[in-house]
Amino acid sequence: MASGGWAVEKRASLRNEESGSANSLITVPETGCLSIVVLGASGDLAKKKTFPALFNLYRQGFLNPEEVRIFGYARTKISDDELRDRLRGYLVHGKATSAEYVEKISNFLQLIKYVSGSYDSEEGFRLLDKCISDSEHELWKHTVEGSSRRLFYLALPPSVYPPVCKIIKNCCMNKSARGGWTRIVVEKPFGKDLDSAERLSAQIGELFDEPQIYRIDHYLGKELVQNLLVLRFANRLFLPLWNRDNIDNIQIVFREDFGTEGRGGYFDEYGIIRDIIQNHLLQVLCLVAMEKPVSLKPEHIRDEKVKVLQSVLPIKDEEVVLGQYDGYRDDPTVPDNSNTPTFATVILRIHNERWAGVPFVLKAGKALESRKAEIRIQFKDVPGDIFRCQKQGRNEFVIRLQPLEAMYIKLTVKQPGLEMSTIQSELDLSYRQRYQGVPIPEAYERLILDTIRGDQQHFVRRDELKAAWEIFTPLLHRIDNGEFKPNQYKPGSRGPAEADQLLERAGYVPTHGYVWIPPTL
Ligand code: NDP
Ligand code: BG6
């Protein structure tokens, strides 16, 4: 048993299994002190994503101030108020700042305490444990009944995960006789290749049980990624179409219109495949390609995702194009001879009955002409083209993950008018238009809430991670050894021309004379 809380956690999950519904975890109330510890509180991710997500949860009533306390931990020596002042700017950012909103921010910030300490000695963590225990006793004295729940969010470089996890285990576990749990949230990149990821998994696995470990991939928290299962398995329309008989090729694309600004040092060590493709895009691929799970229980879903990953064939050299944008090496934190790709197109092939022969084109790049992430499913040509319209384009189903979330199906229709001619058009579900005024939650909000509720559906299981690294490790080693060189491309372009040529070879047929224009309100 890794903690006193494990039994409680197990009971909660048994209750969920008994009720068996999609929303079962949401209906299981877990009460008691909730201490959320953000390790690396002074960092980029913490201030830009973690704390703002916690604030949004608080604002919407998901973090009850009578139960919750938040602790920031990092080496930087600052006071509680200094951390609060640093964070304040990220909470007001882009939001209306009515007096009520400003008061909410102040009330939220008062829930935060800061503890300074190192990541490799017990002293700081003992102090952290004392602060958490003191706050628990304080809350228990006044209002809160129930258990002690401790959530450790590691917004840290992966190199310090093992020592930090070990010290948390030694110094900061929930020891309360009232029960509860201790959970660990770890960020990507989780390892650099198969061996290092397995080593890391083994080190953390010795300290914590799998139900206590939440490997976060924030793409799994995006609204349209979460919609994929519903879309695929709750719509009769798609069931007969979703296979090699009807689909010609699938693209999963990530583009950013800015470079590695400020993160060149980190990025150069990892590159675009480890940063985006091996995790974010591969997770999306799993949800697009998996078979219907037995139920919506996290383990059933993750079992199906693992099967997809295990069915991926080895990547062929001729189905990879790498790129590096001009000027990338000008960053002083990037070596002059860096071979790190900032762009990659990689074709994956899934060896099973549903997908044999269908290329899954995963494409990601920095410093490109636009920012977007989407899934583009291109259908085969209609046999017997009596309208002679095939050259106009094929049916495509596009799921725009961001920005301007949308789904649209590109269709051939009759051109309105007296002539019998055809044009390309679309059935369009644009979220901003269809769900006006409905805020779309940030991925991190949703995922942090899941960790509090103990729902691991949208987190990466250990065997899933292993299978993901198995796919990319041989290619990554060849790039690391300089055997595979990136092509140069201009910032603000579509990436190397070779990538579009590869896409064409994979069978993608661009639509002519038609561009989808996102509706404006
Ligand atoms: P940072 O580089 O900002 O590091 C976070 C904190 O860790 C720093 O404030 C610093 O705190 C501490 N730290 C930095 N370097 C070291 C070191 N060598 N040894 C010990 N401690 C160190 O990382 P980010 O916040 O950008 O990201 C955190 C994690 O989240 C990373 O694994 C990253 O890949 C991942 N991630 C980041 C995203 C982003 O948008 N930034 C998005 C998705 C994932 P101090 O020195 O005060 O202790
Ligand atoms: C992170 C990557 O995981 O995702 C970054 O490390 C990237 O390089 C970011 O910019 C993109 O996230 P989003 O949600 O803006 O698509």
PDB file of all heavy atoms in Angstrom, residues 208-228:
ATOM      1  N   PHE A 208       4.619   5.013  -5.903  1.00  0.00           N
ATOM      2  CA  PHE A 208       3.168   5.246  -5.935  1.00  0.00           C
ATOM      3  C   PHE A 208       2.489   4.177  -6.783  1.00  0.00           C
ATOM      4  O   PHE A 208       3.074   3.685  -7.754  1.00  0.00           O
ATOM      5  CB  PHE A 208       2.854   6.627  -6.526  1.00  0.00           C
ATOM      6  CG  PHE A 208       3.412   7.751  -5.705  1.00  0.00           C
ATOM      7  CD1 PHE A 208       4.590   8.375  -6.073  1.00  0.00           C
ATOM      8  CD2 PHE A 208       2.776   8.160  -4.545  1.00  0.00           C
ATOM      9  CE1 PHE A 208       5.125   9.388  -5.309  1.00  0.00           C
ATOM     10  CE2 PHE A 208       3.303   9.180  -3.772  1.00  0.00           C
ATOM     11  CZ  PHE A 208       4.486   9.797  -4.148  1.00  0.00           C
ATOM     12  N   ASP A 209       1.260   3.846  -6.401  1.00  0.00           N
ATOM     13  CA  ASP A 209       0.485   2.909  -7.217  1.00  0.00           C
ATOM     14  C   ASP A 209      -0.069   3.646  -8.430  1.00  0.00           C
ATOM     15  O   ASP A 209      -0.305   4.859  -8.375  1.00  0.00           O
ATOM     16  CB  ASP A 209      -0.680   2.344  -6.395  1.00  0.00           C
ATOM     17  CG  ASP A 209      -0.160   1.449  -5.284  1.00  0.00           C
ATOM     18  OD1 ASP A 209       0.784   0.695  -5.533  1.00  0.00           O
ATOM     19  OD2 ASP A 209      -0.702   1.538  -4.159  1.00  0.00           O
ATOM     20  N   GLU A 210      -0.349   2.890  -9.487  1.00  0.00           N
ATOM     21  CA  GLU A 210      -0.834   3.494 -10.733  1.00  0.00           C
ATOM     22  C   GLU A 210      -2.072   4.398 -10.507  1.00  0.00           C
ATOM     23  O   GLU A 210      -2.154   5.486 -11.081  1.00  0.00           O
ATOM     24  CB  GLU A 210      -1.105   2.387 -11.759  1.00  0.00           C
ATOM     25  CG  GLU A 210      -1.438   2.850 -13.156  1.00  0.00           C
ATOM     26  CD  GLU A 210      -0.332   3.605 -13.907  1.00  0.00           C
ATOM     27  OE1 GLU A 210       0.853   3.482 -13.564  1.00  0.00           O
ATOM     28  OE2 GLU A 210      -0.693   4.332 -14.851  1.00  0.00           O
ATOM     29  N   PRO A 211      -3.042   3.987  -9.661  1.00  0.00           N
ATOM     30  CA  PRO A 211      -4.204   4.879  -9.482  1.00  0.00           C
ATOM     31  C   PRO A 211      -3.859   6.215  -8.823  1.00  0.00           C
ATOM     32  O   PRO A 211      -4.677   7.124  -8.802  1.00  0.00           O
ATOM     33  CB  PRO A 211      -5.139   4.078  -8.572  1.00  0.00           C
ATOM     34  CG  PRO A 211      -4.695   2.672  -8.696  1.00  0.00           C
ATOM     35  CD  PRO A 211      -3.227   2.707  -8.957  1.00  0.00           C
ATOM     36  N   GLN A 212      -2.648   6.319  -8.289  1.00  0.00           N
ATOM     37  CA  GLN A 212      -2.262   7.598  -7.676  1.00  0.00           C
ATOM     38  C   GLN A 212      -1.525   8.506  -8.654  1.00  0.00           C
ATOM     39  O   GLN A 212      -1.269   9.666  -8.358  1.00  0.00           O
ATOM     40  CB  GLN A 212      -1.326   7.338  -6.485  1.00  0.00           C
ATOM     41  CG  GLN A 212      -1.965   6.588  -5.354  1.00  0.00           C
ATOM     42  CD  GLN A 212      -0.961   6.363  -4.245  1.00  0.00           C
ATOM     43  OE1 GLN A 212      -0.021   5.577  -4.380  1.00  0.00           O
ATOM     44  NE2 GLN A 212      -1.133   7.060  -3.156  1.00  0.00           N
ATOM     45  N   ILE A 213      -1.153   7.968  -9.829  1.00  0.00           N
ATOM     46  CA  ILE A 213      -0.303   8.735 -10.760  1.00  0.00           C
ATOM     47  C   ILE A 213      -1.153   9.238 -11.925  1.00  0.00           C
ATOM     48  O   ILE A 213      -1.809   8.448 -12.607  1.00  0.00           O
ATOM     49  CB  ILE A 213       0.845   7.857 -11.296  1.00  0.00           C
ATOM     50  CG1 ILE A 213       1.640   7.259 -10.134  1.00  0.00           C
ATOM     51  CG2 ILE A 213       1.754   8.659 -12.225  1.00  0.00           C
ATOM     52  CD1 ILE A 213       2.624   6.176 -10.551  1.00  0.00           C
ATOM     53  N   TYR A 214      -1.123  10.533 -12.140  1.00  0.00           N
ATOM     54  CA  TYR A 214      -1.876  11.160 -13.235  1.00  0.00           C
ATOM     55  C   TYR A 214      -0.883  11.766 -14.214  1.00  0.00           C
ATOM     56  O   TYR A 214      -0.302  12.816 -13.952  1.00  0.00           O
ATOM     57  CB  TYR A 214      -2.816  12.237 -12.676  1.00  0.00           C
ATOM     58  CG  TYR A 214      -3.956  11.633 -11.900  1.00  0.00           C
ATOM     59  CD1 TYR A 214      -3.758  11.073 -10.644  1.00  0.00           C
ATOM     60  CD2 TYR A 214      -5.238  11.583 -12.448  1.00  0.00           C
ATOM     61  CE1 TYR A 214      -4.803  10.478  -9.960  1.00  0.00           C
ATOM     62  CE2 TYR A 214      -6.281  10.991 -11.768  1.00  0.00           C
ATOM     63  CZ  TYR A 214      -6.060  10.443 -10.529  1.00  0.00           C
ATOM     64  OH  TYR A 214      -7.088   9.844  -9.852  1.00  0.00           O
ATOM     65  N   ARG A 215      -0.651  11.066 -15.348  1.00  0.00           N
ATOM     66  CA  ARG A 215       0.263  11.600 -16.377  1.00  0.00           C
ATOM     67  C   ARG A 215      -0.578  12.475 -17.291  1.00  0.00           C
ATOM     68  O   ARG A 215      -1.418  11.988 -18.037  1.00  0.00           O
ATOM     69  CB  ARG A 215       0.914  10.458 -17.170  1.00  0.00           C
ATOM     70  CG  ARG A 215       1.805   9.572 -16.328  1.00  0.00           C
ATOM     71  CD  ARG A 215       2.410   8.428 -17.115  1.00  0.00           C
ATOM     72  NE  ARG A 215       2.918   7.422 -16.182  1.00  0.00           N
ATOM     73  CZ  ARG A 215       2.176   6.458 -15.659  1.00  0.00           C
ATOM     74  NH1 ARG A 215       0.897   6.341 -15.998  1.00  0.00           N
ATOM     75  NH2 ARG A 215       2.691   5.602 -14.799  1.00  0.00           N
ATOM     76  N   ILE A 216      -0.325  13.745 -17.198  1.00  0.00           N
ATOM     77  CA  ILE A 216      -1.208  14.700 -17.873  1.00  0.00           C
ATOM     78  C   ILE A 216      -0.749  14.890 -19.325  1.00  0.00           C
ATOM     79  O   ILE A 216       0.441  14.990 -19.598  1.00  0.00           O
ATOM     80  CB  ILE A 216      -1.218  16.041 -17.097  1.00  0.00           C
ATOM     81  CG1 ILE A 216      -2.543  16.769 -17.243  1.00  0.00           C
ATOM     82  CG2 ILE A 216      -0.104  16.943 -17.471  1.00  0.00           C
ATOM     83  CD1 ILE A 216      -2.719  17.900 -16.221  1.00  0.00           C
ATOM     84  N   ASP A 217      -1.697  14.879 -20.238  1.00  0.00           N
ATOM     85  CA  ASP A 217      -1.441  15.308 -21.620  1.00  0.00           C
ATOM     86  C   ASP A 217      -2.581  16.268 -21.901  1.00  0.00           C
ATOM     87  O   ASP A 217      -3.735  15.847 -22.062  1.00  0.00           O
ATOM     88  CB  ASP A 217      -1.483  14.115 -22.586  1.00  0.00           C
ATOM     89  CG  ASP A 217      -1.180  14.552 -24.010  1.00  0.00           C
ATOM     90  OD1 ASP A 217      -1.738  15.579 -24.457  1.00  0.00           O
ATOM     91  OD2 ASP A 217      -0.397  13.878 -24.686  1.00  0.00           O
ATOM     92  N   HIS A 218      -2.287  17.553 -21.953  1.00  0.00           N
ATOM     93  CA  HIS A 218      -3.395  18.509 -21.892  1.00  0.00           C
ATOM     94  C   HIS A 218      -4.278  18.450 -23.140  1.00  0.00           C
ATOM     95  O   HIS A 218      -5.404  18.932 -23.110  1.00  0.00           O
ATOM     96  CB  HIS A 218      -2.907  19.926 -21.560  1.00  0.00           C
ATOM     97  CG  HIS A 218      -2.272  20.661 -22.689  1.00  0.00           C
ATOM     98  ND1 HIS A 218      -0.981  20.461 -23.069  1.00  0.00           N
ATOM     99  CD2 HIS A 218      -2.741  21.636 -23.503  1.00  0.00           C
ATOM    100  CE1 HIS A 218      -0.686  21.259 -24.075  1.00  0.00           C
ATOM    101  NE2 HIS A 218      -1.747  21.996 -24.366  1.00  0.00           N
ATOM    102  N   TYR A 219      -3.799  17.806 -24.220  1.00  0.00           N
ATOM    103  CA  TYR A 219      -4.686  17.667 -25.382  1.00  0.00           C
ATOM    104  C   TYR A 219      -5.905  16.806 -25.053  1.00  0.00           C
ATOM    105  O   TYR A 219      -6.967  16.975 -25.649  1.00  0.00           O
ATOM    106  CB  TYR A 219      -3.909  17.146 -26.603  1.00  0.00           C
ATOM    107  CG  TYR A 219      -3.445  18.323 -27.431  1.00  0.00           C
ATOM    108  CD1 TYR A 219      -2.632  19.295 -26.858  1.00  0.00           C
ATOM    109  CD2 TYR A 219      -3.883  18.518 -28.736  1.00  0.00           C
ATOM    110  CE1 TYR A 219      -2.254  20.418 -27.568  1.00  0.00           C
ATOM    111  CE2 TYR A 219      -3.512  19.641 -29.452  1.00  0.00           C
ATOM    112  CZ  TYR A 219      -2.699  20.588 -28.850  1.00  0.00           C
ATOM    113  OH  TYR A 219      -2.351  21.716 -29.537  1.00  0.00           O
ATOM    114  N   LEU A 220      -5.755  15.923 -24.081  1.00  0.00           N
ATOM    115  CA  LEU A 220      -6.898  15.080 -23.700  1.00  0.00           C
ATOM    116  C   LEU A 220      -7.967  15.875 -22.954  1.00  0.00           C
ATOM    117  O   LEU A 220      -9.064  15.385 -22.717  1.00  0.00           O
ATOM    118  CB  LEU A 220      -6.423  13.898 -22.854  1.00  0.00           C
ATOM    119  CG  LEU A 220      -5.612  12.860 -23.631  1.00  0.00           C
ATOM    120  CD1 LEU A 220      -5.109  11.763 -22.712  1.00  0.00           C
ATOM    121  CD2 LEU A 220      -6.451  12.250 -24.755  1.00  0.00           C
ATOM    122  N   GLY A 221      -7.623  17.100 -22.572  1.00  0.00           N
ATOM    123  CA  GLY A 221      -8.602  17.939 -21.874  1.00  0.00           C
ATOM    124  C   GLY A 221      -9.293  18.918 -22.811  1.00  0.00           C
ATOM    125  O   GLY A 221     -10.160  19.685 -22.390  1.00  0.00           O
ATOM    126  N   LYS A 222      -8.934  18.911 -24.078  1.00  0.00           N
ATOM    127  CA  LYS A 222      -9.545  19.883 -25.006  1.00  0.00           C
ATOM    128  C   LYS A 222     -10.954  19.433 -25.372  1.00  0.00           C
ATOM    129  O   LYS A 222     -11.209  18.241 -25.560  1.00  0.00           O
ATOM    130  CB  LYS A 222      -8.681  20.036 -26.265  1.00  0.00           C
ATOM    131  CG  LYS A 222      -7.360  20.744 -25.954  1.00  0.00           C
ATOM    132  CD  LYS A 222      -6.640  21.163 -27.190  1.00  0.00           C
ATOM    133  CE  LYS A 222      -5.277  21.737 -26.859  1.00  0.00           C
ATOM    134  NZ  LYS A 222      -5.300  23.147 -26.474  1.00  0.00           N
ATOM    135  N   GLU A 223     -11.843  20.412 -25.508  1.00  0.00           N
ATOM    136  CA  GLU A 223     -13.263  20.118 -25.705  1.00  0.00           C
ATOM    137  C   GLU A 223     -13.494  19.160 -26.882  1.00  0.00           C
ATOM    138  O   GLU A 223     -14.198  18.170 -26.773  1.00  0.00           O
ATOM    139  CB  GLU A 223     -14.019  21.436 -25.945  1.00  0.00           C
ATOM    140  CG  GLU A 223     -15.516  21.284 -26.152  1.00  0.00           C
ATOM    141  CD  GLU A 223     -16.252  20.782 -24.914  1.00  0.00           C
ATOM    142  OE1 GLU A 223     -15.881  21.168 -23.800  1.00  0.00           O
ATOM    143  OE2 GLU A 223     -17.206  19.992 -25.079  1.00  0.00           O
ATOM    144  N   LEU A 224     -12.892  19.468 -28.009  1.00  0.00           N
ATOM    145  CA  LEU A 224     -13.197  18.651 -29.189  1.00  0.00           C
ATOM    146  C   LEU A 224     -12.493  17.304 -29.175  1.00  0.00           C
ATOM    147  O   LEU A 224     -12.925  16.369 -29.842  1.00  0.00           O
ATOM    148  CB  LEU A 224     -12.945  19.422 -30.489  1.00  0.00           C
ATOM    149  CG  LEU A 224     -14.261  20.151 -30.817  1.00  0.00           C
ATOM    150  CD1 LEU A 224     -14.331  21.478 -30.168  1.00  0.00           C
ATOM    151  CD2 LEU A 224     -14.532  20.196 -32.274  1.00  0.00           C
ATOM    152  N   VAL A 225     -11.437  17.210 -28.394  1.00  0.00           N
ATOM    153  CA  VAL A 225     -10.810  15.890 -28.225  1.00  0.00           C
ATOM    154  C   VAL A 225     -11.726  15.043 -27.342  1.00  0.00           C
ATOM    155  O   VAL A 225     -11.966  13.864 -27.610  1.00  0.00           O
ATOM    156  CB  VAL A 225      -9.396  16.040 -27.623  1.00  0.00           C
ATOM    157  CG1 VAL A 225      -8.793  14.681 -27.312  1.00  0.00           C
ATOM    158  CG2 VAL A 225      -8.492  16.812 -28.589  1.00  0.00           C
ATOM    159  N   GLN A 226     -12.290  15.679 -26.320  1.00  0.00           N
ATOM    160  CA  GLN A 226     -13.204  14.943 -25.438  1.00  0.00           C
ATOM    161  C   GLN A 226     -14.478  14.546 -26.181  1.00  0.00           C
ATOM    162  O   GLN A 226     -15.173  13.620 -25.788  1.00  0.00           O
ATOM    163  CB  GLN A 226     -13.527  15.781 -24.213  1.00  0.00           C
ATOM    164  CG  GLN A 226     -12.282  16.057 -23.389  1.00  0.00           C
ATOM    165  CD  GLN A 226     -12.516  16.052 -21.906  1.00  0.00           C
ATOM    166  OE1 GLN A 226     -13.607  16.355 -21.454  1.00  0.00           O
ATOM    167  NE2 GLN A 226     -11.501  15.725 -21.136  1.00  0.00           N
ATOM    168  N   ASN A 227     -14.780  15.266 -27.236  1.00  0.00           N
ATOM    169  CA  ASN A 227     -16.000  14.974 -28.004  1.00  0.00           C
ATOM    170  C   ASN A 227     -15.831  13.760 -28.915  1.00  0.00           C
ATOM    171  O   ASN A 227     -16.808  13.211 -29.425  1.00  0.00           O
ATOM    172  CB  ASN A 227     -16.350  16.196 -28.860  1.00  0.00           C
ATOM    173  CG  ASN A 227     -17.810  16.219 -29.255  1.00  0.00           C
ATOM    174  OD1 ASN A 227     -18.528  15.256 -29.068  1.00  0.00           O
ATOM    175  ND2 ASN A 227     -18.253  17.319 -29.802  1.00  0.00           N
ATOM    176  N   LEU A 228     -14.585  13.335 -29.130  1.00  0.00           N
ATOM    177  CA  LEU A 228     -14.363  12.307 -30.157  1.00  0.00           C
ATOM    178  C   LEU A 228     -15.110  11.006 -29.889  1.00  0.00           C
ATOM    179  O   LEU A 228     -15.688  10.411 -30.800  1.00  0.00           O
ATOM    180  CB  LEU A 228     -12.859  12.029 -30.299  1.00  0.00           C
ATOM    181  CG  LEU A 228     -12.089  13.063 -31.120  1.00  0.00           C
ATOM    182  CD1 LEU A 228     -10.587  12.860 -30.986  1.00  0.00           C
ATOM    183  CD2 LEU A 228     -12.493  12.982 -32.593  1.00  0.00           C
TER     184      LEU A 228
END
